Amino acid sequence: MPSEPWWKSAVVYQIYPRSFADSDGDGIGDLGGIRARLDHLRALGVDVIWLSPIYPSPQDDNGYDIADYRDIDPVFGTLDAFDALLADVHRRGMRLIMDLVVNHTSDEHPWFLESRSSRESPKRDWYFWREQPNNWTSAFSGSAWELDEATGEHYLHVFSRKQPDLNWENPEVREAVHSMMSWWLDRGVDGFRMDVINFISKAPGLPDGAATDQRQVGGEHYHNGPRIHEFIQEMHREVFAGRDALLNVGEMPGVTIEHAKLFTDPARNELDMVFQFEHVNLDQRDGKWDSFPLDLRDLKRSFGRWQEGLAETGWNSLYWNNHDQPRIVSRWGDDRREHRVRSAKALGTLLHLHRGTPYVYQGEELGMTNVPFDSIEAFRDIESLNHYAEAVAAGEDPEAVLASMRPMSRDNARTPMQWDGSEHAGFTTGEPWIPVNPNHTEINAEAAVADPESVFHHYRRLIELRHTEPAVAHGDFTMLLEDDPRVYAYTRSFEGTELLVVVNVSGEAASGAAIPDAEAWAAAELVLTNAEPEPRGLELGPWEARVYRRVT
Ligand code: TEU
């Protein structure tokens, strides 16, 4: 397929540098640590590495609050160390994309320091300043506005008060961002993961939000705002045009299929793919702290609509996990000893063979689990800490608040990567910034790599299948058994090759016999499974996954 973009058959691996590997013993991961672990990624077979932010930052939101876009935070290393890492990544035939966080800066960024210095500052208009706040709320609790005593006005921060929103209406802001992006591309990076990039165009006048979604009032005035496609097309013209082989993915809470299509239609020159949030919101009622068990039929409807919606035009990303989501094996699998490995493989299989580019978050390939947080002291994340403080101040029972946070807190994803069974899981020789999960003695990379039946080797095979079987990257998608609450099944077909993916998403035996042509499929070539299949048609054991192939 010479005309197809390379990233359709690629798999991306996300590194959260703070928690990946520490080379200098300060308890915080760093670039030297990543460099020393690149062979783990090579062995897994991934094509691209996405690094969460490594720029100088007060670390109020673990680096998503950037104080200098053109340097590396000393806690992670130096620009020289970055260049060395990039060269090592390229030498191994992989690519590297940076996190681009330009909806907001840190309040310690020189642009904001200048902007807040006086109402007459030439950079006053680089941010949003108002005497009277509107009713928008912050993603991290409370109002989205902070009063600046010195000039008597409030500034907008959709995230923490240390993350003021940039005003993209101002062309100087856009130019400054474009030149910074070009600077990184000239340095050799291969593209960007763009943080909340569909938030950058705010409705003129910043009208009050309808207070329907209690967690984030006002979102309708900046999710996919009026000038968003214009801004992204301009970015493409100014930064990406004429450069080869990039991968640009937009993180987009609240993106719709219609917008996703516009963002990723190659003819429109915007982005390559988006991260949408519909599936990771399916187990929540009133925001993330109000979660309940997933109904598999909801997942089928959601994924099915996205597969269909982007079938002809556009491209999607496929993910279970990132640094903001709880661990998938604990969330929708079964992390108890008996089923952990099986269910982690089942969920990986279910996801990876859809149409789209899969993303693996560090530790997902080991089947890493959520964390048994015993008290509020065990949490580090600003979102969790602010929520706890706000809820307890409002009179909620602290134990109940903790219980609601445990399954969903972002800290579940942020405990150190489990390299081996030693004291701090081989992550650091010092004291880790957040404690390692006690189960690292059992769940770790060393053990997984040595065990051919591990989650690691199953993910490796899934990645290999995307590389070698064109139907995975390019085939059509058909959802089967839409109303079955336990068996997730679909086919992919491409130029006479057909794949059947069938996964039992439950701890009890289930039958896939309702699949059209089930008996014939059961006799087809079994390409991948997480179990020893018994010759019983499509009778599936607990958490059993199978991938069949036939040529028509
Ligand atoms: O997250 C965007 C986002 O929408 C957040 O609301 C996220 O989903 C949050 O965890 C909800 O519970 C991005 C980054 O991935 C996140 O780490 C940052 O905190 C956020 O932007 C601000 O930069």
Side-chain angles (χ1 to χ4, degrees):
M1 257 103 357
S3 64
E4 289 283 3
W6 63 272
W7 35 256
K8 290 195 173 180
S9 49
V11 177
V12 184
Y13 187 94
Q14 181 190 356
I15 290 180
Y16 195 63
R18 215 183 159 72
S19 304
F20 192 65
D22 175 22
S23 68
D24 61 7
D26 67 357
I28 301 176
D30 51 37
L31 300 184
I34 297 171
R35 240 183 122 186
R37 294 292 187 177
L38 288 178
D39 286 332
H40 174 78
L41 307 185
R42 208 51 224 125
L44 186 59
V46 297
D47 306 274
V48 185
I49 297 171
W50 147 29
L51 288 186
S52 275
I54 51 175
Y55 317 93
S57 162
Q59 305 289 333
D60 184 56
D61 186 18
N62 287 0
Y64 283 87
D65 48 321
I66 297 171
D68 179 355
Y69 287 110
R70 299 186 189 217
D71 205 347
I72 306 294
D73 196 297
V75 87
F76 297 125
T78 59
L79 279 171
D80 285 344
F82 177 80
D83 291 340
L85 170 65
L86 185 60
D88 279 2
V89 169
H90 286 160
R91 203 170 300 127
R92 284 171 175 77
M94 297 186 284
R95 292 179 162 95
L96 186 145
I97 66 174
M98 296 293 273
D99 218 307
L100 179 83
V101 188
V102 291
N103 172 68
H104 43 269
T105 65
S106 164
D107 67 338
E108 297 181 33
H109 193 291
W111 298 343
F112 188 75
L113 296 177
E114 169 59 43
S115 182
R116 87 186 307 171
S117 66
S118 92
R119 291 196 187 198
E120 280 70 50
S121 160
K123 288 205 166 53
R124 189 65 167 179
D125 186 48
W126 281 42
Y127 296 83
F128 296 96
W129 291 96
R130 280 175 53 151
E131 283 187 0
Q132 288 306 316
N134 65 17
N135 71 348
W136 297 3
T137 58
S138 151
F140 299 149
S141 305
S143 169
W145 295 87
E146 179 80 2
L147 175 65
D148 177 56
E149 301 279 355
T151 58
E153 286 192 314
H154 300 78
Y155 63 86
L156 175 68
H157 60 89
V158 163
F159 293 91
S160 102
R161 57 179 186 78
K162 289 186 66 63
Q163 293 169 300
D165 282 55
L166 279 166
N167 176 13
W168 277 68
E169 298 293 320
N170 185 327
E172 288 173 16
V173 167
R174 306 202 299 273
E175 276 163 32
V177 169
H178 298 157
S179 90
M180 172 272 281
M181 293 174 74
S182 300
W183 185 85
W184 281 105
L185 292 176
D186 291 344
R187 215 174 180 96
V189 311
D190 301 293
F192 299 95
R193 174 271 186 189
M194 304 180 182
D195 194 67
V196 290
I197 200 69
N198 65 328
F199 286 17
I200 60 176
S201 166
K202 271 84 175 170
L206 312 182
D208 273 348
T212 46
D213 173 8
Q214 290 305 317
R215 273 203 82 235
Q216 221 164 339
V217 179
E220 72 272 28
H221 296 304
Y222 56 81
H223 293 158
N224 323 309
R227 297 181 70 188
I228 185 64
H229 294 286
E230 174 198 335
F231 289 163
I232 302 293
Q233 284 175 357
E234 179 188 53
M235 178 189 285
H236 193 288
R237 256 190 338 267
E238 298 296 324
V239 183
F240 306 141
R243 298 187 190 256
D244 282 343
L246 301 183
L247 189 170
N248 291 303
V249 50
E251 189 220 22
M252 302 196 175
V255 73
T256 59
I257 291 176
E258 280 318 305
H259 275 290
K261 235 175 175 161
L262 298 175
F263 282 120
T264 62
D265 176 353
R268 291 174 56 87
N269 292 320
E270 297 190 22
L271 300 174
D272 299 319
M273 60 191 90
V274 302
F275 289 125
Q276 53 95 4
F277 280 66
E278 199 176 279
H279 65 296
V280 290
N281 292 333
L282 289 174
D283 57 0
Q284 301 164 23
R285 247 174 311 257
D286 183 19
K288 72 186 284 178
W289 311 120
D290 188 10
S291 60
F292 55 87
L294 175 76
D295 183 332
L296 188 70
R297 289 165 294 196
D298 292 338
L299 185 69
K300 294 179 184 184
R301 269 189 288 275
S302 175
F303 275 170
R305 286 197 314 113
W306 280 85
Q307 290 287 304
E308 200 183 313
L310 300 182
E312 299 300 324
T313 310
W315 195 250
N316 203 358
S317 312
L318 307 169
Y319 73 95
W320 290 135
N321 276 117
N322 57 43
H323 62 292
D324 296 331
Q325 299 293 331
R327 295 283 180 181
I328 195 64
V329 67
S330 303
R331 186 181 194 174
W332 293 341
D334 184 342
D335 63 9
R336 289 170 300 180
R337 185 178 289 254
E338 190 189 348
H339 290 314
R340 183 186 66 85
V341 168
R342 268 265 188 116
S343 66
K345 292 178 183 174
L347 290 168
T349 309
L350 188 164
L351 183 77
H352 272 238
L353 303 180
H354 282 84
R355 188 178 163 85
T357 297
Y359 286 68
V360 179
Y361 177 68
Q362 65 184 46
E364 180 183 342
E365 80 280 19
L366 309 177
M368 274 178 65
T369 69
N370 278 355
V371 179
F373 300 106
D374 51 6
S375 71
I376 187 63
E377 279 71 46
F379 292 89
R380 298 285 180 278
D381 178 28
I382 181 168
E383 184 190 44
S384 295
L385 297 175
N386 285 2
H387 169 68
Y388 181 84
E390 189 182 53
V392 171
E396 286 183 44
D397 169 24
E399 277 312 309
V401 179
L402 277 183
S404 73
M405 278 165 49
R406 245 175 236 122
M408 293 304 288
S409 172
R410 306 197 295 185
D411 281 332
N412 282 301
R414 299 179 179 186
T415 60
M417 177 73 175
Q418 293 166 203
W419 293 106
D420 59 38
S422 68
E423 190 188 7
H424 297 307
F427 165 69
T428 181
T429 54
E431 198 54 42
W433 70 275
I434 185 170
V436 296
N437 193 318
N439 65 20
H440 70 274
T441 49
E442 188 187 335
I443 304 171
N444 62 64
E446 192 179 55
V449 171
D451 172 8
E453 300 304 316
S454 66
V455 180
F456 177 87
H457 287 290
H458 192 82
Y459 267 71
R460 185 178 59 66
R461 290 181 200 112
L462 282 168
I463 293 165
E464 194 179 294
L465 191 56
R466 175 164 293 263
H467 290 156
T468 55
E469 173 52 70
V472 175
H474 306 292
D476 294 342
F477 175 95
T478 307
M479 185 72 82
L480 305 173
L481 309 187
E482 271 141 333
D483 299 321
D484 190 309
R486 287 194 289 160
V487 179
Y488 195 108
Y490 56 90
T491 56
R492 304 290 313 279
S493 61
F494 184 71
E495 293 183 346
T497 298
E498 209 181 353
L499 301 177
L500 170 72
V501 179
V502 54
V503 183
N504 179 1
V505 189
S506 87
E508 287 109 55
S511 169
I515 287 169
D517 223 4
E519 284 309 317
W521 272 116
E525 177 197 359
L526 186 62
V527 184
L528 187 62
T529 179
N530 61 356
E532 281 305 312
E534 290 158 34
R536 279 181 300 169
L538 282 183
E539 168 106 18
L540 302 164
W543 298 106
E544 185 167 336
R546 299 189 200 169
V547 183
Y548 289 103
R549 172 170 45 203
R550 66 184 182 191
V551 179
T552 52

